[in-house]
Amino acid sequence: MEQTLTISIQDYLKNIYELTENGESASTNALASKLNVKPASVTGMVQKLASAKPALVEYQKHQGVTLTDDGKKAALEVIRHHRLLEAWLVQTLGYSWDEVHAEAEKLEHVISEDFERRIAAAMGHPLRDPHGELIPTADLQMPLDDSTPLSSLRANQSGTVQYVKAADAELLKHFETLGLIPEAELEVTGYSPFDHNLTIKIGRKSIVLGLNITSKIYVKES
Amino acid sequence: MEQTLTISIQDYLKNIYELTENGESASTNALASKLNVKPASVTGMVQKLASAKPALVEYQKHQGVTLTDDGKKAALEVIRHHRLLEAWLVQTLGYSWDEVHAEAEKLEHVISEDFERRIAAAMGHPLRDPHGELIPTADLQMPLDDSTPLSSLRANQSGTVQYVKAADAELLKHFETLGLIPEAELEVTGYSPFDHNLTIKIGRKSIVLGLNITSKIYVKES
DNA sequence: CTTTAAATTTAGCCTTGACTAAATTTATTT
DNA sequence: AAATAAATTTAGTCAAGGCTAAATTTAAAG
Ligand SMILES: [Mn+2]
Ligand SMILES: [Mn+2]
Ligand SMILES: [Mn+2]
Ligand SMILES: [Mn+2]
């Protein structure tokens, strides 16, 4: 039942999961650019995943893909590996949060379930990875996310950073120098409707952030 | 220069290294059975490795293969990864020496050089893996091995176990129950020339071991 | 020196998962 | 509604790295 999926398939499923978290289906083009692969290749793979038994995705020509329950399970397994590994690399080998992603990206596909259990136990079953992202549980449920993008807050609203959604090392370093890390408290003091810039107060500083940033910072309003 | 070799190629090189440590060349059949692949597949791959630039193996039809300097470098890189990983898994995650091999076999191909450095440093640059096998140095030299197989000792010779050459979990567990682990001291008290059995005293026990075992235990005579 | 056996190589085929170029479908504009 | 643009799919290739079956080479025996 749990035959081992190829690394490519694992990556497709993980990326489909991420693109469909919002409820929409994942388009061929979006998947292609996320996977660094040509759209034609995506069509081919997606057709295969749809006709696999059991099917891993739901697919209608020109309508994009979504995950079946089996596909979602497989995706969450990879995501759990990835996030546990990130946490573990930071906690035991002193990686910084901008260095872990690439390493976890490769390890996620080859560790055993035993390895997964051991690092989870060694860290006391952490709930979040170094970026604050929720780690799927051992029985492959994604915990409820009670945060919203910072970009959805307006003047006088304040909150606590829950997680940052970014893999790029440079961007993560930038977030860090701004103090935009999990647990950070911030308050929105201004909003510019034309460019969607937000002015926020964080620590003793006041900074202006564009949508490119605010859409990647997830906060819990307080 | 250091293009990334495929996992298959890394495994071929590692296994060729192991088969040629004794100075002889590795035969197609031996390589095939070690890699769990058919002889025809080995021929194909070996031809490719020989005509790669730079060549990774030296190969003459029907004469078996040996590693070139480049091939040996690549093999030692994989072996260093493997053995450091085994040590790391035992020291930090509580794996037993019979569980580490399979995990290291997969991880060895995907960890970065940075990861390698970090675990080596975290362990204080260990010289041997959990089985006592020597770990190639960071600059990819294999340290000198001053041990001989237990099978080459005779009555009244004694020594200290340096390492055991085995990957099979059952065999390793058996070695452990016999006390045949690195650092163990033993003395040969008898030799049976017909079946090559050795009688050895280890701890307070006296046991008789067949060639299948004594050829896999490497000791330093004392 | 032949014959037989064992080892190795060759030839042809298969699966994965990419790619390019061409065809098609859907969406957007005029 | 027609034309253009954007997105997607189809068709045909390719490289890796396996496999089987057949051919060949080397080694062993009589
Ligand atoms: Mn990946
Ligand atoms: Mn993360
Ligand atoms: Mn391997
Ligand atoms: Mn070992």
Side-chain angles (χ1 to χ4, degrees):
Chain A
M1 176 191 182
E2 298 284 327
Q3 11 78 44
T4 299
L5 305 170
T6 66
I7 291 176
S8 280
I9 290 177
Q10 290 180 38
D11 277 334
Y12 271 89
L13 295 175
K14 180 175 76 162
N15 283 282
I16 293 169
Y17 181 92
E18 289 168 1
L19 286 173
T20 55
E21 269 183 302
N22 56 13
E24 298 175 27
S25 75
S27 75
T28 301
N29 268 359
L31 249 185
S33 82
K34 206 157 181 294
L35 286 164
N36 283 306
V37 140
K38 302 298 178 199
S41 304
V42 169
T43 300
M45 178 61 92
V46 144
Q47 288 172 337
K48 189 169 78 173
L49 298 179
S51 57
K53 54 164 200 164
L56 296 168
V57 305
E58 192 78 46
Y59 168 66
Q60 302 290 341
K61 269 190 193 183
H62 298 277
Q63 304 302 134
V65 281
T66 55
L67 295 172
T68 61
D69 285 350
D70 286 303
K72 186 182 286 190
K73 276 275 148 94
L76 287 171
E77 182 72 70
V78 180
I79 293 170
R80 177 170 165 82
H81 286 184
H82 184 97
R83 295 182 181 174
L84 280 174
L85 281 163
E86 285 192 342
W88 188 65
L89 291 171
V90 166
Q91 288 184 29
T92 75
L93 289 175
Y95 275 77
S96 56
W97 81 340
D98 51 277
E99 295 171 320
V100 285
H101 188 79
E103 197 81 60
E105 194 66 33
K106 301 211 290 178
L107 292 170
E108 65 187 5
H109 307 293
V110 302
I111 66 173
S112 67
E113 291 304 286
D114 186 35
F115 185 99
E116 174 198 315
R117 278 189 291 272
R118 284 176 192 262
I119 63 176
M123 293 185 290
H125 304 283
L127 301 178
R128 294 174 182 274
D129 79 6
H131 310 105
E133 295 204 89
L134 290 161
I135 299 174
T137 59
D139 62 338
L140 302 181
Q141 301 297 131
M142 181 64 88
L144 212 61
D145 177 9
D146 59 357
S147 67
T148 53
L150 173 54
S151 55
S152 71
L153 297 205
R154 291 295 174 265
N156 295 320
Q157 289 185 292
S158 57
T160 308
V161 174
Q162 296 286 298
Y163 60 93
V164 304
K165 208 154 190 60
D168 179 64
E170 291 312 308
L171 183 56
L172 284 166
K173 278 185 220 162
H174 184 56
F175 285 168
E176 193 169 19
T177 62
L178 294 179
L180 289 169
I181 60 176
E183 307 290 287
E185 314 222 339
L186 52 79
E187 181 185 350
V188 176
T189 58
Y191 170 65
S192 162
F194 303 105
D195 55 11
H196 302 292
N197 275 354
L198 282 183
T199 306
I200 69 168
K201 205 159 61 104
I202 181 167
R204 8 189 161 300
K205 292 204 202 73
S206 190
I207 54 183
V208 181
L209 304 173
L211 187 56
N212 244 338
I213 287 182
T214 57
S215 64
K216 290 175 179 138
I217 308 291
Y218 286 73
V219 303
K220 182 162 150 190
E221 214 199 318
S222 58
Chain B
M1 175 191 183
E2 298 283 326
Q3 14 76 44
T4 299
L5 305 169
T6 66
I7 291 176
S8 279
I9 290 177
Q10 290 180 39
D11 277 334
Y12 271 89
L13 295 175
K14 182 175 73 162
N15 283 281
I16 292 169
Y17 181 92
E18 289 168 0
L19 286 174
T20 56
E21 268 181 303
N22 55 15
E24 297 175 27
S25 76
S27 76
T28 300
N29 267 1
L31 207 38
S33 81
K34 206 158 180 294
L35 287 164
N36 282 307
V37 140
K38 302 298 177 196
S41 304
V42 170
T43 300
M45 178 61 92
V46 144
Q47 289 173 337
K48 189 169 76 172
L49 298 179
S51 57
K53 53 164 200 165
L56 296 167
V57 305
E58 191 78 46
Y59 167 66
Q60 302 290 341
K61 270 190 192 182
H62 298 278
Q63 304 302 133
V65 281
T66 56
L67 295 173
T68 61
D69 286 350
D70 286 304
K72 186 183 284 187
K73 277 276 148 101
L76 287 171
E77 182 72 71
V78 181
I79 293 170
R80 177 170 164 84
H81 286 183
H82 185 97
R83 294 182 182 173
L84 279 174
L85 281 163
E86 285 192 343
W88 175 247
L89 292 171
V90 166
Q91 287 186 29
T92 75
L93 289 175
Y95 276 77
S96 55
W97 82 340
D98 51 276
E99 295 171 319
V100 284
H101 187 79
E103 198 81 58
E105 194 66 34
K106 302 211 288 178
L107 292 170
E108 65 187 6
H109 306 293
V110 302
I111 65 172
S112 67
E113 291 305 285
D114 186 36
F115 185 99
E116 175 197 317
R117 278 189 291 272
R118 284 177 192 261
I119 63 176
M123 293 185 288
H125 304 283
L127 301 178
R128 293 173 182 273
D129 80 5
H131 310 106
E133 295 204 89
L134 289 162
I135 299 174
T137 59
D139 62 337
L140 303 181
Q141 301 296 130
M142 181 63 88
L144 211 62
D145 177 9
D146 59 355
S147 67
T148 53
L150 173 54
S151 55
S152 71
L153 298 204
R154 291 295 174 265
N156 295 320
Q157 289 185 292
S158 57
T160 308
V161 174
Q162 296 285 298
Y163 60 92
V164 304
K165 210 157 189 56
D168 178 64
E170 291 313 308
L171 183 56
L172 283 166
K173 278 185 220 161
H174 183 56
F175 284 168
E176 194 169 19
T177 61
L178 293 179
L180 288 170
I181 61 177
E183 306 290 287
E185 314 222 340
L186 53 78
E187 182 186 350
V188 176
T189 57
Y191 170 65
S192 162
F194 302 107
D195 54 11
H196 302 290
N197 276 354
L198 283 184
T199 306
I200 70 168
K201 206 160 61 111
I202 180 167
R204 9 188 162 301
K205 291 202 202 75
S206 190
I207 55 183
V208 181
L209 304 172
L211 187 56
N212 242 339
I213 287 181
T214 57
S215 64
K216 291 174 177 139
I217 307 291
Y218 286 73
V219 303
K220 181 161 148 192
E221 216 199 318
S222 58

